[in-house]
Amino acid sequence: WRSIGLDVSDGPGHSPPSPRQSVRKNLDFEPLSTTALILEDRPANLPAKPAEEAQKHRQQYEEMVAQAKKRELKEAQKRRKQLEDRCKLEESIGNAAQTWNQEILPNWSAMCTSRRVRELWWQGVPPSVRGKVWSLAVGNELNITHELFNICLARAREKWKSMPTAPPTEPETEDASLSLADREASLELIKLDISRTFPHLCIFQQGGPYYDMLHSILGAYTCYRPDVGYVQGMSFIAAVLILNLDTPDAFIAFANLLNKPCQMAFFRVDHSLMLKYFAAFEVFFEENLPKLFVHFKENNLTPDIYLIDWIFTLYSKSLPLDLACRVWDVFCRDGDEFLFRVALGILRLYEDVLTRMDFIHNAQFLTRLPDHISPDQLFSHIHAVHMTSKNRKWGQVLQALQERNSPVLKR
Amino acid sequence: MAYAYLFKYIIIGDTGVGKSCLLLQFTDKRFQPVHDLTIGVEFGARMITIDGKQIKLQIWDTAGQESFRSITRSYYRGAAGALLVYDITRRDTFNHLTTWLEDARQHSNSNMVIMLIGNKSDLESRREVKKEEGEAFAREHGLIFMETSAKTASNVEEAFINTAKEIYEKIQEGVFDINNEANGIKIGPQHATTNSTLSGSQGGQQAGGGCC
């Protein structure tokens, strides 16, 4: 027998067989499609097969065809199941989006604390309503209006204009105006950093569709809060907001997010206050994962080593983006406590690996987490983290540490 | 893998001068034209051989923005070597060297070996800092100096390895107390068995292969 062209079942317009498929062909595997197999007698110039042999071959042929059919059926069933699952998932996202849009968002203040909404929230906010939910949950304590954003943006543009342009090609720029150097350096830095924000997405870089928006938000913020200015890490937060909100609303959410106590402590790089957050984190670390806690202590692996990146970028740099957005969902609801809970969830998820590695491997692992992390797995570990220590909640532990005067945290 | 010594390095310098790219070139032998921003600190490690001995380099790659100085300062502790990097195409990164150096000297142990690096030497047409200026600065402050290109890999190996050689020489001269981990040097498992006899003659080498 021989197999005729493998693409019999594929109509025109199907993609050409992948190299892997052609390897299969060469290996003389039975083709997957039963239509591709034909039983033939020996060519006329050769003596005919004895009846017995012919019978045996026919039997083998039929078995093969039957098996191939069975396999095809199984494949088809699997495909159908996959499709069903995807449809189910899409449907559930669609349903959830509908619930959010029609029931929850219109009755926000009444419903946002209800148990049902909280449960739905934990499962991840559908991308189509994510921006709205984040905006509502973060709020606008600062009462920033679109007008204010435009004023800040105009001021930033004014500054950019007065700045010498395109420094890389003109070697003289830096010396000229040292008095303005600092502020300009900050604006210059924004430009440099935008190109280094999610570079693999290729949308924030110069010439990309979101370059101007990111530039605008960061520039406007330096005019809105010159006392804070631009600090590295902000570009990631602004970028994630831009992906979910239009520019003025992204700015409002951005400024209000950064205004939260934890974010202010970090972005003003108030070192002693940051140490209090780390110390509070360690209280819950020891409580939840005592074995790993001791292992880290023995290896001098202090929490700042991994927490700084995680907290400054709200996990957007360290976790896959869709997973980071799910973290943001609950962070917008629960506040800074959740950021530290996620950190414990990550440590819990990888506890076995981390307990076996030394300082450098752990430090490398935690500052560069695996590319693929199962969202469900991570969230079930986050869920399992208990945020009480000796009957005290996160806020109480943190406050107690803040009230104690001198921070005693040695590296 | 067994090693004779472990040296801790720290890479410092203004943001965007190519610290992470130098590290990536050294550890992975590749160049990423657009590297992710470093927030806080990242890490690299590689084994090198000096004088027939395996030396493990543990490299701390720090964030460069001024605001992060108060954080990165604590990372000098226990570093045996520092790579102080500027960008030859941006004069301001060269002008800031003095403050970096002050910071480094103040927060590290006095024996820390500092290598001054003028990076991006492949961008000759955009050069703003002459090689002679780098050399003069290094001479004045007692640093080793090299111009490198993380892109073409030019001098990258040499920068990391020459720093290690200098540290190694200091150990041989007895300048570094290798039993004090605050100096950024750890004796590896390869050495551990002979550690007790280290001060005396090394004649009775047992396990550990061809070291010493």
Side-chain angles (χ1 to χ4, degrees), chain A residues 237-283:
Chain A
I237 297 180
V240 173
L241 289 169
I242 285 169
L243 292 173
N244 290 283
L245 286 161
D246 55 23
T247 315
D249 289 329
F251 179 76
I252 294 170
F254 181 72
N256 279 286
L257 258 184
L258 295 197
N259 200 45
K260 288 174 181 279
C262 174
Q263 275 57 49
M264 259 304 136
F266 276 72
F267 280 107
R268 297 185 101 152
V269 201
D270 181 339
H271 204 185
S272 66
L273 197 49
M274 286 167 71
L275 291 178
K276 304 229 161 105
Y277 278 95
F278 297 150
F281 167 79
E282 288 200 295
V283 168

Side-chain angles (χ1 to χ4, degrees), chain A residues 168 171 189 193 195-196 199 230-233 269 271 274 304-305 308 312 317 359-360 363-364 367-368 411, chain B residues 15-16 34-37 39-45 56 58 60 65 67-68 70-71 74-75 77 92 126 128:
Chain A
L189 187 56
D193 283 355
S195 68
R196 300 192 284 173
Y230 166 73
V231 180
Q232 289 183 328
V269 201
H271 204 185
M274 286 167 71
D304 53 310
I305 283 172
I308 284 176
F312 266 97
K317 186 169 160 272
F359 170 85
I360 187 71
Q364 282 182 298
T367 50
R368 200 161 292 267
R411 284 198 41 76
Chain B
T15 183
V34 197
H35 200 281
D36 264 348
L37 195 53
I39 314 276
V41 59
E42 286 179 13
F43 296 86
K56 186 169 179 169
Q58 180 195 91
W60 296 46
Q65 195 185 7
S67 335
F68 286 99
S70 62
I71 299 170
S74 57
Y75 300 146
R77 229 182 90 110
D92 57 329
R126 280 161 48 185
E128 285 185 17

Side-chain angles (χ1 to χ4, degrees), chain A residues 151-164:
Chain A
I151 292 167
C152 292
L153 181 56
R155 219 179 287 165
R157 290 212 169 110
E158 208 54 40
K159 273 191 199 164
W160 288 325
K161 244 188 263 164
S162 64
M163 245 172 76

Side-chain angles (χ1 to χ4, degrees), chain A residues 94-128:
Chain A
N95 285 343
Q98 210 171 9
T99 312
W100 282 97
N101 263 323
Q102 293 175 357
E103 292 177 47
I104 305 168
L105 291 176
N107 309 299
W108 181 253
S109 48
M111 284 188 80
C112 69
T113 50
S114 76
R115 212 180 135 194
R116 185 171 146 248
V117 172
R118 286 179 70 85
E119 262 166 31
L120 210 56
W121 205 328
W122 180 267
Q123 287 155 23
V125 178
S128 59

Side-chain angles (χ1 to χ4, degrees), chain B residues 72-118:
Chain B
T72 47
R73 252 174 221 142
S74 57
Y75 300 146
Y76 287 111
R77 229 182 90 110
L83 306 188
L84 170 54
V85 189
Y86 68 93
D87 173 353
I88 66 150
T89 72
R90 276 163 58 207
R91 169 143 314 259
D92 57 329
T93 65
F94 181 76
N95 293 341
H96 295 154
L97 288 179
T98 333
T99 53
W100 278 114
L101 202 56
E102 272 167 20
D103 236 30
R105 291 253 155 92
Q106 205 181 331
H107 295 94
S108 65
N109 78 75
S110 53
N111 291 318
M112 182 171 78
V113 172
I114 303 175
M115 161 77 83
L116 178 66
I117 292 179

Side-chain angles (χ1 to χ4, degrees), chain A residues 1-6 8 28-40 60-69 71-72:
Chain A
W1 46 64
R2 65 183 169 87
S3 64
I4 53 170
L6 263 186
V8 174
D28 253 337
F29 273 77
E30 311 115 335
L32 262 181
S33 169
T34 45
T35 52
L37 208 59
I38 291 167
L39 181 66
E40 280 182 352
Q60 282 177 340
Y61 167 78
E62 270 154 19
E63 272 167 22
M64 269 172 73
V65 170
Q67 248 173 27
K69 259 191 185 148
R71 204 160 2 142
E72 258 181 26

Side-chain angles (χ1 to χ4, degrees), chain A residues 119-179:
Chain A
E119 262 166 31
L120 210 56
W121 205 328
W122 180 267
Q123 287 155 23
V125 178
S128 59
V129 288
R130 197 161 244 158
K132 271 184 228 148
V133 173
W134 287 358
S135 282
L136 283 167
V138 171
N140 188 3
E141 221 183 2
L142 298 167
N143 287 317
I144 299 172
T145 57
H146 287 198
E147 287 72 45
L148 181 58
F149 167 63
N150 287 327
I151 292 167
C152 292
L153 181 56
R155 219 179 287 165
R157 290 212 169 110
E158 208 54 40
K159 273 191 199 164
W160 288 325
K161 244 188 263 164
S162 64
M163 245 172 76
T165 45
T169 45
E170 292 165 34
E172 298 302 327
T173 48
E174 250 62 53
D175 283 335
S177 48
L178 264 170
S179 56

